[in-house]
Amino acid sequence: MERREFKLTDWQFSKDKENWSSVSVPHTWNAVDGQDGGNDYYRGTCYYKRTLDLVVQNGEKIFLEFDGAAMSAEVFLNGISLASHKGGFSTFRVELTEHLKGSDELVVAVDNGDNAIIYPQKADFTFYGGLYRDVKVITVPKQHFELLKDGTPGIKVTPIVDLKSKSATVTVETWQNDESVTITVNGESREVPSVGGHAEAVFKIENVHLWDGVEDPYLYSAVAELKSGDKISTRFGCREFGFDSEKGFLLNGRVYPLRGVSRHQDLKGKGNALEKADHERDIEIIKEIGANTVRLAHYQHSQDFYDLCDERGIVVWAEIPYITMHMKSGRENTLSQMRELLTQCYNHPSIAVWGLSNEITAASVVNEDLLENHRLLNNLCHEMDKTRKTVMANVFMLETDSPILEIPDINSYNLYFGWYLGELEQTDEFFDEYHSKYPERIIGFSEYGADSNVAFHSSNPEKGDYTEEFQCLYHEHMLNMIENRPYLWATHVWNLFDFAADGRDEGGKHGENQKGLVTFDRQTKKDAFYLYKAAWNKKESFVHLCGKRYEKRAEEETEIKVYSNQDHVSLFVDNWPEMELDGSTVFTFRIPLTAENGGVHKIKAVSGSCTDEMTIIKVTKPEESYVFNKAAATVNNWFDAVENDPTCFSVADTLSELRAHPQAGMIIEQMMAKASASRGDVAESVKDNPALQRMMGRMTMLSLLKQSGADEESIRQLNRVLQGIKK
Ligand code: GCU
């Protein structure tokens, strides 16, 4: 008898076990309040219920499978608790067989409330609650493959490639409650004994067809079958990953720089209750931009998405949500989430590294408990997987001689110089310093990005203005920085898509992190998206005119930027003579704007058969709606004009200079406390981080205030007060 599976989609849902409404699973109760700002989305326990009319026949066994219940769940049948699970991103199963009466009431209590044992508890994304992935009934014969342990697929495939002999040794392990199992790989079948519920067979593939990244992601399959008829299968790929502190990442023996993006699993209006089509659309966008890697942050994603990465040859960074703040009582949960991640995702050829944690020192000091937690996670990964490296994504304030960096096999840093603080060039300096100080260490760039709202535009873009133009400048700098540092094993833009972070309220949007290269609804590819497409996608010829949404321009002359993967671009403006440029990726033209024809200018970019068009209009006064940080915009002009008394303090002094003075220092402390409150609970928790304070200390008060959106009047006022304090 083959195993049978079917989904349970129709459920009753309630927040109080009184008022019930019909919902369809996958479902989350935060699809709206988790995306609208205010950091007030409903976090707590909610209930899903339905009846089951399952009859056990012929000694078969019946299980329930939950692919994603966030953030923890308890399963009741006829009021009896059968099982509970802590962790919102991995599969768990419950056996029902002995408890079924033929018509049974199933209730699942799901909780996404605050607590001190289940990760994540502090991070820059919405912790959606719900049965947000499929729930299935699985019926198997009496003798069946393992289903309960860590949500296992019951089969584990370890392919070891020998590039010289172009062969692969493939070890297949299965777990079952039967005497023997027949395993088939590449058309070769073998029956092997099961000892203590475990069976193993080793196959040799000559002239192996490698899983070779985006060029040729070839997949094999392994099938295991029991005499009872239970049958399982998995796909696998034969590839070899290499890491070198000078060459970076290697795929199948050749240098293969991983250049890509990060992704969260949510969507405008749907939250994290995504369907297969949503995953397929996202992988198409990753293909279009030309990325060869994706960091699936900050937790285990849907099996559908790992499958798509296997099929498309996208190398994956997989991780658990051990993030921002270390919790003494959270150790067991990090280990169980890691055990489940490795057990459930081990067979995916696309996965190259296991991420132990993300910015865990942002709101926590590096103490023995934190270090030990990482050592245990690192050891667990190495015990369960001899073939992959472990990695950490470190917060940019973490000292590069911190002992925690010694624990994982390799490291990467999240750097936000030129956005959160400091200047873009500090990124270049950071890696140059790091690489010269630790030439033997393998280092990567796990996050970098700048928020942009497609409604905001400027011809003088600057950090903190949330314009599309600044996001382009930011990424042009980073692309160049990366291209000149080939030793970076992987780089991941934060983020491919805008995503929900209900604690945020900035950049003209509520509850959204806008560092995406594509908007949250997947409808708009921001201009910066095409910068990376021009640099990475060498298959699909195109030209892209930037600034289509920056239609109205109040200036005599304006910049027209074209991103293209071609090496020659022509620009046609109205019926003026053709302008041409040779180059790569970024082509920048400047054109005069005249008031002729109502100031309307038709612009066309051409390269071979590729074209793109837009219209811009010369206007007399700047378009107000293009400017977010109205305060910052005026501040520029005002401050440049002011004559300050140099013997007294002013906002032109750095934070550490002001802090060093008792009177000026006190004033500053009061302001800082207020400023960080608006950046959500993550900023609140990191503000006291000593390394961050050192970095901020080097910044002028003016750039810090502009960064935090302070308006002109309050900056004037502070400057007046500081001008009253002698140095
Ligand atoms: C951090 C963090 C992300 C966050 C990002 C940001 O580095 O890892 O989860 O979204 O910064 O502030 O945009």
Side-chain angles (χ1 to χ4, degrees):
M1 181 215 108
E2 286 241 347
R3 71 171 50 189
R4 301 192 303 279
E5 294 190 5
F6 66 90
K7 293 181 182 173
L8 298 176
T9 52
D10 305 333
W11 295 74
Q12 290 295 304
F13 171 77
S14 172
K15 285 184 176 169
D16 58 12
K17 286 202 270 189
E18 309 284 317
N19 309 299
W20 294 90
S21 58
S22 300
V23 296
S24 173
V25 164
H27 171 265
T28 171
W29 61 77
N30 297 124
V32 177
D33 70 355
Q35 303 189 341
D36 60 3
N39 211 11
D40 53 2
Y41 61 102
Y42 185 84
R43 292 186 64 188
T45 306
C46 295
Y47 305 87
Y48 294 84
K49 77 173 180 183
R50 60 164 296 146
T51 55
L52 291 178
D53 308 317
L54 302 171
V55 181
V56 180
Q57 296 160 321
N58 320 325
E60 62 199 7
K61 304 283 185 182
I62 298 184
F63 294 78
L64 271 181
E65 175 182 275
F66 295 87
D67 282 341
M71 291 293 176
S72 63
E74 184 162 3
V75 180
F76 300 86
L77 196 67
N78 306 321
I80 300 163
S81 173
L82 297 186
S84 65
H85 182 258
K86 293 183 178 52
F89 307 99
S90 51
T91 294
F92 70 97
R93 302 192 186 95
V94 185
E95 179 160 10
L96 299 180
T97 320
E98 315 310 320
H99 309 281
L100 291 167
K101 299 194 178 67
S103 174
D104 303 275
E105 186 190 54
L106 172 65
V107 174
V108 188
V110 183
D111 180 85
N112 68 340
D114 236 346
N115 64 68
I117 55 168
I118 302 172
Y119 286 96
Q121 287 300 324
K122 196 172 279 301
D124 181 32
F125 59 94
T126 295
F127 307 152
Y128 297 99
L131 294 178
Y132 71 97
R133 294 189 190 139
D134 289 337
V135 181
K136 294 189 196 105
V137 171
I138 301 178
T139 306
V140 291
K142 193 161 184 303
Q143 281 68 39
H144 60 88
F145 290 100
E146 174 61 37
L147 282 162
L148 289 177
K149 189 167 180 328
D150 298 320
T152 179
I155 183 167
K156 181 179 181 179
V157 182
T158 306
I160 304 294
V161 169
D162 177 348
L163 293 173
K164 282 204 191 58
S165 65
K166 239 185 152 310
S167 66
T169 304
V170 180
T171 304
V172 181
E173 297 168 81
T174 63
W175 290 263
Q176 57 281 308
N177 62 354
D178 204 349
E179 273 103 46
S180 69
V181 52
T182 301
I183 299 175
T184 306
V185 166
N186 199 31
E188 187 191 341
S189 290
R190 195 149 340 123
E191 181 173 357
V192 288
S194 174
V195 181
H198 175 259
E200 181 170 312
V202 181
F203 299 81
K204 187 81 186 276
I205 302 178
E206 300 299 348
N207 194 19
V208 65
H209 189 157
L210 295 173
W211 185 91
D212 200 33
V214 287
E215 293 315 318
D216 184 11
Y218 187 80
L219 295 170
Y220 286 91
S221 70
V223 180
E225 194 160 0
L226 302 178
K227 291 196 178 59
S228 66
D230 194 16
K231 185 176 175 178
I232 56 176
S233 66
T234 182
R235 299 180 307 180
F236 68 94
C238 300
R239 77 284 183 262
E240 183 184 280
F241 295 139
F243 298 82
D244 178 276
S245 62
E246 272 316 320
K247 298 189 197 125
F249 183 78
L250 296 96
L251 175 61
N252 299 331
R254 72 180 187 284
V255 172
Y256 189 86
L258 293 177
R259 301 294 177 254
V261 293
S262 289
R263 174 199 188 241
H264 264 297
Q265 60 171 9
D266 67 343
L267 184 63
K268 184 76 183 164
K270 258 189 174 176
N272 59 357
L274 303 184
E275 292 152 78
K276 194 134 195 229
D278 300 317
H279 297 304
E280 283 158 354
R281 184 204 33 248
D282 285 4
I283 202 86
E284 284 310 323
I285 296 173
I286 290 175
K287 289 300 288 184
E288 182 191 348
I289 201 172
N292 63 11
T293 182
V294 62
R295 178 182 171 199
L296 295 179
H298 292 295
Y299 36 75
Q300 183 174 336
H301 282 228
S302 156
Q303 288 300 327
D304 289 338
F305 205 81
Y306 295 113
D307 287 342
L308 287 166
C309 292
D310 294 342
E311 289 157 19
R312 304 304 184 83
I314 306 289
V315 173
V316 170
W317 166 321
E319 64 189 76
I320 58 168
Y322 184 18
I323 183 166
T324 316
M325 176 189 68
H326 170 73
M327 303 188 296
K328 219 169 169 3
S329 47
R331 179 183 291 184
E332 177 35 42
N333 188 246
T334 63
L335 294 166
S336 68
Q337 293 208 47
M338 187 64 90
R339 234 185 346 265
E340 290 177 335
L341 174 69
L342 270 71
T343 302
Q344 296 171 22
C345 299
Y346 182 94
N347 297 334
H348 291 290
S350 57
I351 298 179
V353 291
W354 304 115
L356 304 183
S357 63
N358 179 76
E359 300 197 344
I360 201 64
T361 63
S364 300
V365 291
V366 177
N367 60 22
E368 186 41 35
D369 191 66
L370 183 148
L371 289 170
E372 183 55 12
N373 200 148
H374 281 76
R375 290 189 204 102
L376 292 170
L377 283 168
N378 200 51
N379 299 345
L380 175 66
C381 289
H382 289 156
E383 275 150 34
M384 295 180 71
D385 185 348
K386 307 276 181 290
T387 68
R388 293 183 177 94
K389 298 275 189 218
T390 56
V391 66
M392 255 175 19
N394 299 294
V395 69
F396 62 92
M397 308 82 106
L398 179 68
E399 291 81 352
T400 59
D401 59 358
S402 168
I404 194 172
L405 292 166
E406 308 294 337
I407 296 175
D409 302 316
I410 62 177
N411 272 291
S412 285
Y413 264 81
N414 301 348
L415 300 177
Y416 285 95
F417 297 118
W419 179 251
Y420 281 138
L421 80 170
E423 305 311 324
L424 298 169
E425 296 68 25
Q426 285 180 262
T427 315
D428 313 39
E429 291 152 20
F430 175 90
F431 281 120
D432 293 346
E433 264 167 47
Y434 190 98
H435 194 49
S436 63
K437 193 168 173 195
Y438 308 103
E440 77 301 337
R441 282 192 188 171
I442 292 156
I443 189 69
F445 195 11
S446 38
E447 281 184 33
Y448 64 102
D451 291 75
S452 84
N453 182 327
V454 292
F456 299 143
H457 302 285
S458 166
S459 291
N460 306 303
E462 61 167 12
K463 79 175 171 189
D465 68 6
Y466 295 87
T467 62
E468 223 178 330
E469 288 71 29
F470 179 77
Q471 191 187 41
C472 288
L473 280 184
Y474 174 96
H475 283 292
E476 285 171 27
H477 178 93
M478 294 306 168
L479 190 61
N480 190 37
M481 190 285 295
I482 292 168
E483 280 169 356
N484 294 316
R485 290 166 184 78
Y487 59 79
L488 295 172
W489 75 273
T491 67
H492 294 95
V493 174
W494 191 261
N495 194 291
L496 180 54
F497 305 109
D498 293 347
F499 59 90
D502 200 52
R504 280 179 178 262
D505 213 337
E506 59 179 301
K509 286 259 181 80
H510 304 298
E512 243 181 70
N513 181 311
Q514 299 182 81
K515 291 190 182 65
L517 301 176
V518 180
T519 52
F520 195 12
D521 59 7
R522 273 58 168 175
Q523 296 311 308
T524 306
K525 293 173 182 134
K526 304 177 186 179
D527 286 337
F529 174 92
Y530 295 96
L531 168 70
Y532 285 104
K533 183 175 177 180
W536 295 340
N537 181 333
K538 298 307 178 189
K539 291 213 172 68
E540 191 195 324
S541 305
F542 78 99
V543 288
H544 172 78
L545 274 165
C546 297
K548 290 189 187 73
R549 288 172 283 273
Y550 183 20
E551 191 184 43
K552 299 189 180 101
R553 303 188 191 193
E555 49 198 6
E556 299 311 311
E557 195 187 70
T558 195
E559 179 184 272
I560 303 296
K561 196 183 281 183
V562 178
Y563 291 150
S564 176
N565 52 11
Q566 306 300 294
D567 54 18
H568 179 85
V569 170
S570 298
L571 193 75
F572 298 91
V573 180
D574 302 330
N575 48 21
W576 301 353
E578 176 182 2
M579 303 158 81
E580 299 180 81
L581 276 177
D582 290 322
S584 75
T585 314
V586 184
F587 300 79
T588 307
F589 301 83
R590 292 199 64 78
I591 65 166
L593 287 183
T594 65
E596 269 164 46
N597 180 25
V600 177
H601 295 280
K602 294 274 178 224
I603 300 176
K604 188 173 182 178
V606 178
S607 186
S609 59
C610 310
T611 67
D612 194 14
E613 297 186 21
M614 73 177 184
T615 301
I616 57 175
I617 305 168
K618 177 178 174 57
V619 292
T620 50
K621 61 181 186 59
E623 172 62 33
E624 283 263 322
S625 69
Y626 289 167
V627 181
F628 160 62
N629 231 337
K630 293 184 180 49
T634 49
V635 165
N636 289 349
N637 324 335
W638 159 75
F639 191 73
D640 302 341
V642 159
E643 289 304 311
N644 275 326
D645 167 353
T647 66
C648 296
F649 285 107
S650 82
V651 289
D653 293 306
T654 67
L655 184 61
S656 46
E657 285 158 348
L658 291 162
R659 275 190 165 144
H661 185 278
Q663 206 187 345
M666 195 189 50
I667 294 166
I668 298 306
E669 288 324 317
Q670 286 153 359
M671 286 200 68
M672 297 300 280
K674 217 159 89 267
S676 78
S678 78
R679 279 269 160 98
D681 48 11
V682 175
E684 186 55 31
S685 59
V686 302
K687 76 176 181 335
D688 303 326
N689 180 297
L692 172 63
Q693 290 310 327
R694 259 195 307 286
M695 278 181 183
M696 289 170 74
R698 290 196 287 268
M699 290 175 68
T700 65
M701 201 57 216
L702 178 64
S703 63
L704 276 170
L705 288 167
K706 277 206 301 191
Q707 186 89 30
S708 63
D711 61 43
E712 180 181 339
E713 192 32 47
S714 49
I715 296 177
R716 265 177 194 281
Q717 210 181 327
L718 174 63
N719 197 58
R720 267 195 297 277
V721 173
L722 292 175
Q723 281 283 282
I725 306 172
K726 276 274 175 236
K727 287 191 175 176

